[in-house]
């Protein structure tokens, strides 16, 4: 998957940046991901896809000395020796059980082979290591409302240009429960759910929460005993009604590797 970040098109808002380096994600996402690991300066970190290098520079400026950038091409705008070419859809160029933290900022929605990518992250991390994944939050009520009327989710609000396919297209938009399934079935356990910000307009959708809750709990209580997923449903219910899932602009999940997959 190509991370990247071409020159952004003109827009009415100022794009987020770090020391003049364009950040190709929603405002505040890099800061929130950094907050999730800011006390781990002694640990090894992989940033994939690393793009222009804004997040790597942020880490280095704050005392991280063991940071590896990975992307399908080198478009870095910073001085950084530890960069390797790598494709999120293939075997990662990382030794097994060699890293403490893998950060994937707005990358997973650009690839089809999401399960293989998570398996590769598991292979590359030490047991007890963490993966942080951010992705457009299509589980928010605002995004669900848009999908109800148009069939398109937030950050994928119109048909992709099938005449000119590009790695920049969001071909794999993923909901919270799908992301949780990917992680929990591949050796991880979600530890924290966060977001970059909750826009004021998103709170207007609070009116729908009681109906969403009643519908969800009815389905979960109906299917749990029948499918043997009572505990899973109970755990999922507490997470899907986290305010960051319901109203956040970008979904940010931190998960811990509990076991190796083997192989």
């Amino acid at each position: 998957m190509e991370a990247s970040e071409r020159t952004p098109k003109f827009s009415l808002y100022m794009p987020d940046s770090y020391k003049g380096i364009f950040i190709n994600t929603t405002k505040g996402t890099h800061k929130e991901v950094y907050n999730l690991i800011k006390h781990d300066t002694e640990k090894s970190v992989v940033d994939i896809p690393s793009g222009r290098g804004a997040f790597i520079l942020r880490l280095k400026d704050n005392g991280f000395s063991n940071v590896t950038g990975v992307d399908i091409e080198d478009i870095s705008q910073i001085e950084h020796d530890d960069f390797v070419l790598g494709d999120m859809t293939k075997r990662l160029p990382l030794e097994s059980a060699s890293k403490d933290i893998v950060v994937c900022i707005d990358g997973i929605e650009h690839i089809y082979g999401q399960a293989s990518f998570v398996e590769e992250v598991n292979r590359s991390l030490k047991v007890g290591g963490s993966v942080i994944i951010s992705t457009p939050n299509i589980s928010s009520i605002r995004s669900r409302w848009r999908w109800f009327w148009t069939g398109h989710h937030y950050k994928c609000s119109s048909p992709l240009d099938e005449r000119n396919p590009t790695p920049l297209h969001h071909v794999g938009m993923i909901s919270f429960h799908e992301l949780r399934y990917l992680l929990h079935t591949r050796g991880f356990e979600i530890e924290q759910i966060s977001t970059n910000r909750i826009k004021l307009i998103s709170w207007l959708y609070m009116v729908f929460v009681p109906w969403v809750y009643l519908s969800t709990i009815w389905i979960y209580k109906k299917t749990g005993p029948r499918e043997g997923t009572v505990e899973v449903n109970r755990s999922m219910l507490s997470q899907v009604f986290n305010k960051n899932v319901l109203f956040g602009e970008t979904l940010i999940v931190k998960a811990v590797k509990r076991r190796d997959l083997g192989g």
Side-chain angles (χ1 to χ4, degrees):
M1 201 293 287
E2 182 176 358
S4 292
E5 300 137 331
R6 304 285 190 265
T7 301
K9 295 179 180 179
F10 173 79
S11 65
L12 296 178
Y13 63 91
M14 291 296 292
D16 208 2
S17 65
Y18 181 77
K19 292 191 172 180
I21 301 175
F22 171 67
I23 297 175
N24 191 27
T25 184
T26 49
K27 189 175 182 64
T29 296
H30 273 207
K31 290 181 180 179
E32 182 57 23
V33 172
Y34 169 72
N35 285 337
L36 294 176
I37 61 172
K38 65 182 180 181
H39 300 300
D40 300 325
T41 54
E42 77 287 355
K43 294 185 177 180
S44 56
V45 182
V46 177
D47 180 23
I48 177 172
S50 57
R52 289 184 169 89
F55 191 71
I56 291 175
L57 184 60
R58 186 188 297 270
L59 293 178
K60 293 173 70 174
D61 285 348
N62 287 279
F64 286 80
S65 59
N66 190 350
V67 183
T68 302
V70 182
D71 210 327
I72 199 167
E73 63 176 333
D74 187 358
I75 60 170
S76 180
Q77 296 179 349
I78 65 171
E79 292 294 328
H80 185 65
D81 294 331
D82 194 358
F83 172 85
V84 290
L85 292 174
D87 189 329
M88 288 176 63
T89 65
K90 300 177 182 178
R91 185 177 176 88
L92 298 179
L94 302 168
E95 295 294 326
S96 298
S98 63
K99 301 299 180 180
D100 297 303
I101 301 170
V102 171
V103 170
C104 181
I105 300 175
D106 287 24
I108 199 166
E109 69 274 8
H110 293 269
I111 62 173
Y112 290 110
Q114 295 169 339
S116 296
F117 172 68
V118 173
E119 289 166 4
E120 273 298 287
V121 172
N122 178 286
R123 180 188 63 78
S124 303
L125 281 172
K126 303 171 186 176
V127 173
S130 300
V131 60
I132 300 172
I133 297 174
S134 75
T135 191
N137 185 14
I138 65 171
S139 292
S140 71
I141 297 180
R142 185 182 178 195
S143 182
R144 295 189 225 177
W145 184 251
R146 174 177 290 180
W147 183 87
F148 177 78
W149 289 108
T150 70
H152 295 280
H153 275 292
Y154 162 72
K155 287 293 183 179
C156 197
S157 57
S158 61
L160 300 175
D161 187 357
E162 59 199 39
R163 301 164 302 175
N164 300 293
T166 165
L168 296 177
H169 284 163
H170 289 176
V171 297
M173 300 291 278
I174 184 169
S175 66
F176 171 77
H177 73 271
E178 291 169 326
L179 182 57
R180 173 180 150 135
Y181 181 84
L182 274 180
L183 292 167
H184 283 203
T185 57
R186 287 162 176 83
F188 292 96
E189 181 181 357
I190 291 178
E191 181 180 74
Q192 193 165 350
I193 303 167
S194 188
T195 188
N196 64 319
R197 60 179 176 176
I198 297 176
K199 289 185 173 181
L200 184 60
I201 191 173
S202 295
W203 291 115
L204 298 178
Y205 293 83
M206 179 78 79
V207 66
F208 296 112
V209 171
W211 308 108
V212 173
Y213 182 78
L214 289 173
S215 298
T216 304
I217 198 169
W218 182 76
I219 292 294
Y220 282 15
K221 285 186 176 296
K222 179 180 178 181
T223 60
R226 185 180 67 210
E227 299 177 4
T229 57
V230 172
E231 291 301 320
V232 172
N233 289 5
R234 183 179 294 118
S235 173
M236 179 70 78
L237 188 68
S238 67
Q239 291 184 331
V240 295
F241 283 90
N242 180 299
K243 66 178 175 56
N244 294 324
V245 176
L246 289 179
F247 305 110
E249 180 181 25
T250 292
L251 179 65
I252 304 173
V253 169
K254 181 178 182 181
V256 177
K257 176 180 171 178
R258 299 301 187 193
R259 61 180 174 85
D260 287 313
L261 294 181

